[in-house]
Amino acid sequence: MLRLGGSLRSVRCFATATAAAVKKPITSGPNIVLVDAVRTPFAVSGTVFKDLWAVDLQREALKALIARTQIPYKDIDHIICGTVIQECKTSNVAREAALQAGIPDKARKAMLGMQKAKTAGDKLKIAYLRQYQYVAQDPKDQLLLSPAYVIPKLLDKAGLTLKDVDVFEIHEAFAGQVLANLNALDSDYFCKEHMGRSGKFGRLPMEKINNWGGSLSIGHPFGATGVRLAAHAAGRLKEEKGQYAVIAACAAGGHGVGMLVEAYNK
């Protein structure tokens, strides 16, 4: 109430709520920018790709990526290609695929670029790789539990919580494997006895996990699973208008990796 001219008059006050500041993660090293990604189709083994070599598929992926992004050859610094069970006739998949794709011998990379390096412009940037974490367990009885171990470590390292994450991309080695990791994270016993935490980490919301399909439904490209997960995480952040995505994957020998991806906002 305000007193105006000797009389009391009521005044309606409007409070404007300021938007809560977005929590910024603790990062490691310089920013890495995710630019774009392409992939060859998923097919049943021994069918449409049976007469092709790994280098043939990689060549087509590189050609499509460069055509799509229009990144000049001179701005390509490195090419890194994952490969599993490499055939003996291809000595260096990355180099041979690049040369066959028309990339000059001195140019060596396409998908990930440092923020300080030249890119084809802001319109191509879709996300940042903000943080990462590696873990390793006893492969005898914890071979596929790396996501349960790496997600808490990754978020602790970044200074974030489960509530800060909008998108989860978890490598689906087997149908029951993701469920086992979710149960482990939501278990007081597991988190205390095996991870040394004070209690359970919490249940990951199913509505945020692998919304575009997992490794079983859309394919598990040996040597390129991490790229596929990163591409989906970045794409989902853009489509779902989220801020942070967590990627988690188990690997051979009880190893595992986690990454924190942040949407690129101009």
Side-chain angles (χ1 to χ4, degrees), residues 57-239:
L57 297 175
Q58 185 64 76
R59 176 193 65 231
E60 296 307 311
L62 288 174
K63 288 169 62 177
L65 183 64
I66 293 172
R68 180 162 156 171
T69 60
Q70 294 297 301
I71 292 179
Y73 288 145
K74 65 182 180 63
D75 290 339
I76 300 174
D77 299 315
H78 299 282
I79 290 176
I80 302 172
C81 297
T83 182
V84 177
I85 315 176
Q86 181 174 324
E87 70 276 358
C88 61
K89 293 184 179 180
T90 305
S91 59
N92 189 325
V93 172
R95 184 173 185 275
E96 293 186 30
L99 291 175
Q100 291 184 28
I103 301 173
D105 197 22
K106 64 179 181 179
R108 309 180 199 126
K109 162 124 197 165
M111 182 180 167
L112 301 179
M114 304 302 292
Q115 187 181 22
K116 295 179 181 178
K118 294 180 180 179
T119 68
D122 283 350
K123 66 179 181 179
L124 291 180
K125 299 176 184 177
I126 55 176
Y128 291 109
L129 174 59
R130 291 300 196 191
Q131 191 58 270
Y132 62 90
Q133 177 70 44
Y134 290 98
V135 295
Q137 291 75 239
D138 186 344
K140 181 179 179 180
D141 58 358
Q142 297 184 339
L143 177 64
L144 304 177
L145 287 176
S146 294
Y149 281 92
V150 80
I151 290 174
K153 288 180 178 289
L154 175 70
L155 291 179
D156 288 348
K157 188 176 180 180
L160 300 177
T161 68
L162 280 178
K163 293 181 179 180
D164 297 314
V165 182
D166 304 296
V167 166
F168 288 93
E169 285 292 328
I170 302 177
H171 172 44
E172 190 180 22
F174 300 96
Q177 176 256 343
V178 173
L179 296 177
N181 279 274
L182 297 184
N183 288 339
L185 286 168
D186 200 34
S187 166
D188 274 319
Y189 171 79
F190 185 88
C191 290
K192 287 179 179 179
E193 295 297 320
H194 295 281
M195 299 169 63
R197 303 185 71 87
S198 60
K200 65 181 181 181
F201 185 68
R203 190 79 180 178
L204 272 61
M206 290 296 292
E207 65 272 14
K208 295 182 179 181
I209 302 174
N210 296 356
N211 285 2
W212 287 2
S215 298
L216 291 180
S217 63
I218 59 175
H220 171 20
F222 279 9
T225 303
V227 174
R228 200 278 298 166
L229 290 168
H232 271 204
R236 283 185 56 199
L237 284 176
K238 185 176 181 179
E239 291 294 324

